């Protein structure tokens, strides 16, 4: 079963540079895998965060199993891993599922100000 967070784009090794590293707002990348139970728990949280932070944070997913180059480039060892990129550089990394409120608190320092 393919895990997809609703309203969240999927990126691949091929378009990671353009979609994530070249993006203007900060980007939250969820490294996920179909076999990962906590990833399934996190999918609705990631969807809700994407909706709530629209325009201030770009949210994407990448399948760890089918995109090994990106996974190894950033040293991702556990699923789910959430990584925030700003201006092409990883600035924050979090491992494991978490509730939406906690994730929003953890992201507060990287979110673009409203109306920026």
């Amino acid at each position: 079963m393919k895990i997809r967070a609703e309203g969240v784009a999927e990126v691949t090794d091929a378009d990671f540079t353009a979609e994530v590293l070249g993006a203007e707002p900060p980007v939250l990348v969820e490294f996920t895998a179909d076999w990962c139970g906590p990833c399934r728990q996190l999918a609705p949280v990631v969807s809700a965060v994407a909706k709530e932070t629209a325009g201030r944070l770009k949210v994407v997913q990448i399948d760890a199993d089918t995109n090994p180059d990106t996974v190894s480039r950033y040293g991702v060892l556990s699923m789910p891993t959430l990584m925030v990129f700003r201006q092409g550089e990883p600035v924050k990394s979090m491992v494991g599922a978490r509730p939406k409120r906690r994730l929003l608190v953890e992201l507060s320092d990287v979110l673009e100000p409203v109306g920026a």
Side-chain angles (χ1 to χ4, degrees), residues 42-98:
L42 194 59
V45 172
V46 170
S47 293
V49 166
K51 265 192 212 106
E52 229 170 278
T53 61
R56 300 190 296 148
L57 181 73
K58 181 176 178 177
V59 181
V60 299
Q61 287 182 307
I62 186 165
D63 185 308
D65 292 333
T66 55
N67 298 283
D69 295 348
T70 304
V71 169
S72 65
R73 182 180 321 140
Y74 294 104
V76 174
L77 302 173
S78 303
M79 302 306 140
T81 290
L82 297 162
M83 211 171 267
V84 178
F85 289 81
R86 182 184 265 150
Q87 296 167 339
E89 294 297 319
V91 293
K92 181 173 275 224
S93 184
M94 301 159 279
V95 176
R98 60 230 321 114

Side-chain angles (χ1 to χ4, degrees), residues 8-22:
V8 175
E10 191 157 348
V11 296
T12 63
D13 282 347
D15 63 6
F16 191 86
T17 298
E19 292 294 323
V20 176
L21 304 184

